Amino acid sequence: MDGVTEGVNNLQITDSSYNNKKNRIQVSNTKKPLFFYVNLAKRYMEQNNEVELSALGMAIATVVTIAEILKNNGLAFEKKITTSTIDMREDAGGRPIQKAKIEILLGKSEKFDEIMAADAAAAAVAAEEALEYEQS
């Protein structure tokens, strides 16, 4: 029994799908504005070097837009895109409805840190100018 306990205590999970759960953003097109998700994806990439964007149904267009914004600004590159359909039930005991699902895995670009630093510097200058304007 001690061998089993020791084995469990020393267990290391190497499955990549386990690690991706902590950097997955499930996007809704009704709950938050678009740039909430863009900024959240930037934060996730700072911490994990990659982010997975996931959506169902009508929110798929929102996920694609978020990914394109990040790519066009030089912050990310696409690593993997997965599409599928899943069965969902709207009511308990109701008929299953198929919904489209997309998962886009984005990696952090080589210039990510440089671009983020430039954005932070520009924001600091803008805030300082706004403060000077208020005081005048």
Side-chain angles (χ1 to χ4, degrees), residues 32 61 65 71 135:
K32 301 280 184 188
T65 301
K71 286 170 34 185
Q135 292 175 349

Side-chain angles (χ1 to χ4, degrees), residues 63-82:
V63 161
V64 171
T65 301
I66 294 164
E68 288 301 313
I69 288 169
L70 293 167
K71 286 170 34 185
N72 290 338
N73 288 331
L75 296 169
F77 64 94
E78 57 187 59
K79 286 184 158 183
K80 182 178 171 186
I81 299 176
T82 307

Side-chain angles (χ1 to χ4, degrees), residues 5-18:
T5 305
E6 182 179 329
V8 170
N9 290 337
N10 294 332
L11 182 68
Q12 292 183 339
I13 298 174
T14 58
D15 182 59
S16 64
S17 65
Y18 173 80

Side-chain angles (χ1 to χ4, degrees), residues 6-106:
E6 182 179 329
V8 170
N9 290 337
N10 294 332
L11 182 68
Q12 292 183 339
I13 298 174
T14 58
D15 182 59
S16 64
S17 65
Y18 173 80
N19 292 332
N20 287 344
K21 302 300 180 202
K22 68 183 176 189
N23 62 332
R24 173 182 285 177
I25 300 173
Q26 293 179 317
V27 175
S28 166
N29 58 348
T30 59
K31 295 191 178 182
K32 301 280 184 188
L34 177 72
F35 276 91
F36 169 83
Y37 293 113
V38 171
N39 290 325
L40 184 60
K42 288 178 188 178
R43 299 297 163 245
Y44 277 33
M45 282 193 290
E46 281 179 334
Q47 296 168 0
N48 301 307
N49 294 328
E50 63 183 22
V51 64
E52 182 178 314
L53 303 170
S54 174
L56 298 175
M58 300 299 285
I60 289 174
T62 305
V63 161
V64 171
T65 301
I66 294 164
E68 288 301 313
I69 288 169
L70 293 167
K71 286 170 34 185
N72 290 338
N73 288 331
L75 296 169
F77 64 94
E78 57 187 59
K79 286 184 158 183
K80 182 178 171 186
I81 299 176
T82 307
T83 60
S84 60
T85 55
I86 62 168
D87 289 332
M88 295 186 69
R89 296 182 190 272
E90 291 195 5
D91 298 321
R95 288 189 344 200
I97 299 170
Q98 286 200 325
K99 286 219 172 195
K101 179 179 182 178
I102 190 167
E103 295 173 325
I104 302 175
L105 182 63
L106 298 174

Side-chain angles (χ1 to χ4, degrees), residues 112-123:
F112 180 89
D113 295 324
E114 181 183 324
I115 293 168
M116 289 296 286
D119 287 350

